[in-house]
Amino acid sequence: MSKFDAEAYDRRTKVLLAGVSAVTLVLLIGAALIENVFPEWRGYRSEYAKILEEKSEDGNLAGFRVSQIEQNVVPALAVTDRCITCHTGVQDPRMTGEEQPFTTHPGEFLQQHPPETFGCTICHEGQGLATETVAAHGLTHDWLYPLHEAEFVYSSCAQCHDADLVYSDFAAGDETPFSGRLVAEGKHLAETRGCLGCHLIDGMGGTIGPDISFVGNKTKHDFDFAHVEGEERTVAAWLERHFLEPAEISPGTTMPDMGLSPEDAKALTAYTLSLRQKDIPFGYAVKRPVDMALPTPPDGQELYEKLCSACHGQDGRESEVPGIRTPALNNPDTLAVASDDYLRHIIDHGRSDTSMPAWGPAVDGLSLEEIDKIVAHIRGWEQPGADLADVDPEVGDAIHGRAYYQGLCANC
């Protein structure tokens, strides 16, 4: 058995430690150089300085410093945004037409939303303190609110603005960016395709599905991506696929396939992302002007489309959603025997042992006046019928009638 050479072992250990220390030192020096001498943001600012020199007649950079991190500190919103470190030209009209990240901000939004007062992440999301592209855009596993895709940016407007005002302006055909109209289109779809028949939004709607009043505040960790393949792991991507293929994305869900087009699914995604809690400071909330007329209360048709059409169909004949079977309301026989009081009672109190929920004041739903409007809309489908005075009661046969009723009618 060979004798253990302590001196040789000690020598090898020292050499190994010296090598590890040297590698560690090189890595630390490299990290320090990358962080302080060659950071990504400094490269962008150097390139911006060159553009400034080309655009300035005298080559004067007007105090622009390449080696300086710029930021907007907004204590009211508890954010510090360093986006302008790289996006240096957002307020410089000379940068119009330049490529990102040097170009000016589109539109006139910064006139009403100066970055020093609002920052950037209040609208765009992302990680304001970061100065590297991937981290700043929030495209890391641990950051909860990554940068919005361009088409979904206007989903943030409802944090400060009255949603009915800002999105109705878009829907009215104003010359506004596409993404604003996209949210308005999604809002219109939600209100006319019967989404509120199953989902609560701000206290209005059904309870068959989950309350989606603040679904825009959820993060990617609140969604199950187990059945989402080949898609980026974002809330927007999950919602869009869910609208198109609910059963595939959420097996066992009660949500039916609505037969939406990809464009409809994108619009609904934009609107759904706008459903957020208003937890901003009071001074940032944009209130309805006092001289502006209040919105017109919805009529019976609008209420029916919002709350009833998903199950009973737009025209009351049958549901347009595959898999939903409910009584036809726009039916001569139904309208002939169902009185207004009966319809009011069903809408107010619901029907036990069925999927028809109560919608009345007892559940903080519709007012009695709104229920009357829906009943009047349903009654409007009734066609003039025979005069009951002309019907001979002696012609009927109660025994045969009972058999027909039990076989054809009793299930409903």
Side-chain angles (χ1 to χ4, degrees), residues 190-250:
E191 293 179 346
T192 56
R193 295 294 296 270
C195 297
L196 276 73
C198 295
H199 296 283
L200 275 170
I201 299 180
D202 295 334
M204 173 63 75
T207 56
I208 297 174
D211 186 333
I212 59 173
S213 300
F214 307 126
V215 69
N217 289 111
K218 291 188 174 184
T219 73
K220 60 184 178 182
H221 303 296
D222 295 311
F223 296 88
D224 182 5
F225 285 87
H227 302 279
V228 179
E229 298 180 359
E231 296 282 353
E232 187 179 358
R233 295 302 197 258
T234 65
V235 174
W238 190 95
L239 289 171
E240 198 168 340
R241 285 289 305 279
H242 180 69
F243 286 130
L244 291 171
E245 303 173 300
E248 287 76 7
I249 304 304
S250 300

Side-chain angles (χ1 to χ4, degrees), residues 34-45:
I34 292 173
E35 178 70 22
N36 299 290
V37 181
F38 305 111
E40 184 181 18
W41 61 266
R42 190 188 295 270
Y44 285 127
R45 292 180 69 81

